[in-house]
Amino acid sequence: MSDSPTTAPAAPGADWADVIVVARSEATPRIAVFELARADGGQLWEYEAGAHVDVEVGTDRLVRQYSLCGAANGPHKQYRLAVLNEPASRGGSRAMHDLAEGDTLRIAAPRNRFGITPARRHLLFAGGIGITPLLAMARTLDARGADYQLHYCARSRAEAAFVADLEHHPRVRLHFDDQPSEQRLDPAADIGEPRQDTAVYVCGPGGFMNYVLGSAADLGWPGSALHKERFSASTTTPSDDPGQGFTVRLTSTGALYPVPEDESVLDVLRAHGIAAPYSCGQGICGECIVRVRAGEPDHRDDVLTDEERADGLFTPCSSRSNTPILELEL
Ligand code: FES
């Protein structure tokens, strides 16, 4: 996860810590690697491979999400983040790239909806900076002696981080757009036919995600086997396809809140002082998930599985309602 746009203030209810940049290096001309340690010298939170943290950075206190790419086992004195400088982003990656050793920032306790699932075999597909969570997952799978393959796709070797660590690994295959076609990702061979014992994990830019996930679906892989983490929303959000206004009712109080066509449920609830949790604000992190008690949701997220939607879960930051009233368990 990288440079998803949330603005200050930080999400309510989260556990935050002041951290110092204790080391910074350049993995590529556009990817900086940061080692972060608590300013008070204490331990950081434990986490599972695939987790990300909210980072509050810069004078505007921008909050962004970045995956943890260091080894995930054991207590942590330091966290490692790798951040791509994206000129088209809304400022988070530039603020991160302005950091030098000794600078301070705040991070929240890690969260994870992209962890390793129970499976006998694992196929990992990383596009560009999407390598960050999958690198941590590959290290964990190595430590377990698990059966896996990591496919790492990038525009060129020069733009790919961590290549020196990965290129001689027997479970890693590198695919560069500027190299001969025989080393490019081949969905038929590299994803292959569906296997019940295999979990597939995908992380990268939107076009890469759509290509890999679409190819897997075409090959017959069920959605339940495909695990994904996006950097930005692929589905329409209230701002680019507002749809109809509707009313939200909360089960705890019975209070009614009209949601205009150009505002999200989350925005409306926060404007009324409801302490609804959130982080990314665009349907990709899962922090805001609540349960629907009545009404029919119009799901517009990239985080819930089909099973979770069928189970009544809903993302107030991005999704809307197909019915005039939507009752939420809040
Ligand atoms: S705040 Fe991230 S999915 Fe809603």
Side-chain angles (χ1 to χ4, degrees):
M1 192 172 281
S2 168
D3 207 6
S4 319
T6 304
T7 51
D15 199 2
W16 289 80
D18 293 321
V19 294
I20 297 177
V21 178
V22 293
R24 172 187 171 146
S25 59
E26 311 304 313
T28 76
R30 289 181 60 207
I31 298 176
V33 179
F34 300 92
E35 302 285 348
L36 307 176
R38 279 186 83 112
D40 62 9
Q43 299 276 3
L44 289 159
W45 304 273
E46 293 192 23
Y47 66 91
E48 304 270 322
H52 68 273
V53 288
D54 280 3
V55 176
E56 187 184 81
V57 64
T59 51
D60 293 335
R61 301 177 63 202
L62 300 166
V63 176
R64 299 292 187 262
Q65 291 78 42
Y66 295 105
S67 297
L68 294 162
C69 60
N73 301 326
H76 296 278
K77 290 294 282 185
Q78 294 186 8
Y79 283 173
R80 176 177 295 170
L81 307 179
V83 179
L84 173 68
N85 193 355
E86 298 174 276
S89 82
R90 304 187 206 186
S93 69
R94 286 195 298 279
M96 286 295 294
H97 274 250
D98 286 342
L99 292 172
E101 289 180 12
D103 284 346
T104 58
L105 60 159
R106 291 209 310 156
I107 62 171
R111 293 193 303 273
N112 195 353
R113 286 185 55 87
F114 191 51
I116 297 168
T117 62
R120 203 192 64 72
R121 177 171 168 263
H122 307 266
L123 293 178
L124 285 53
F125 295 90
I129 195 65
I131 188 64
T132 48
L134 295 174
L135 188 59
M137 292 161 79
R139 287 188 171 128
T140 295
L141 292 167
D142 273 334
R144 294 180 187 174
D147 180 2
Y148 81 94
Q149 188 88 44
L150 168 61
H151 294 272
Y152 182 13
C153 304
R155 289 203 188 109
S156 68
R157 174 178 290 267
E159 293 177 79
F162 311 118
V163 169
D165 296 339
L166 294 171
E167 64 182 339
H168 300 301
H169 194 297
R171 294 194 177 278
V172 177
R173 291 205 43 209
L174 304 176
H175 308 275
F176 298 123
D177 292 350
D178 65 347
Q179 296 295 309
S181 58
E182 54 269 21
Q183 55 82 62
R184 306 259 178 88
L185 187 72
D186 175 3
D190 296 329
I191 306 174
E193 297 295 316
R195 281 178 47 170
Q196 283 195 336
D197 66 350
T198 300
V200 177
Y201 309 83
V202 191
C203 185
F208 172 82
M209 302 279 297
N210 294 341
Y211 176 64
V212 176
L213 292 169
S215 299
D218 290 346
L219 286 162
W221 286 83
S224 58
L226 306 177
H227 307 275
K228 58 185 186 290
E229 181 157 270
R230 290 185 182 272
F231 300 156
S232 58
S234 68
T235 50
T236 54
T237 62
S239 58
D240 51 36
D241 180 14
Q244 300 290 315
F246 55 98
T247 297
V248 160
R249 182 168 58 218
L250 303 190
T251 50
S252 60
T253 60
L256 299 170
Y257 299 98
V259 180
E261 59 185 30
D262 58 350
E263 284 188 58
S264 72
V265 174
L266 179 68
D267 288 341
V268 168
L269 296 179
R270 287 180 58 208
H272 285 86
I274 310 294
Y278 68 94
S279 178
C280 71
Q282 54 176 345
I284 59 175
C285 78
E287 184 65 11
C288 67
I289 292 172
V290 296
R291 189 173 293 280
V292 173
R293 281 299 175 197
E296 181 188 309
D298 171 10
H299 291 292
R300 302 185 183 192
D301 67 86
D302 284 305
V303 67
L304 293 174
T305 63
D306 291 344
E307 292 76 14
E308 288 172 325
R309 290 180 178 185
D311 196 32
L313 300 188
F314 175 82
T315 56
C317 71
S318 62
S319 295
R320 301 190 65 77
S321 179
N322 289 326
T323 47
I325 293 201
L326 195 69
E327 183 171 319
L328 301 180
E329 196 175 270
L330 262 174

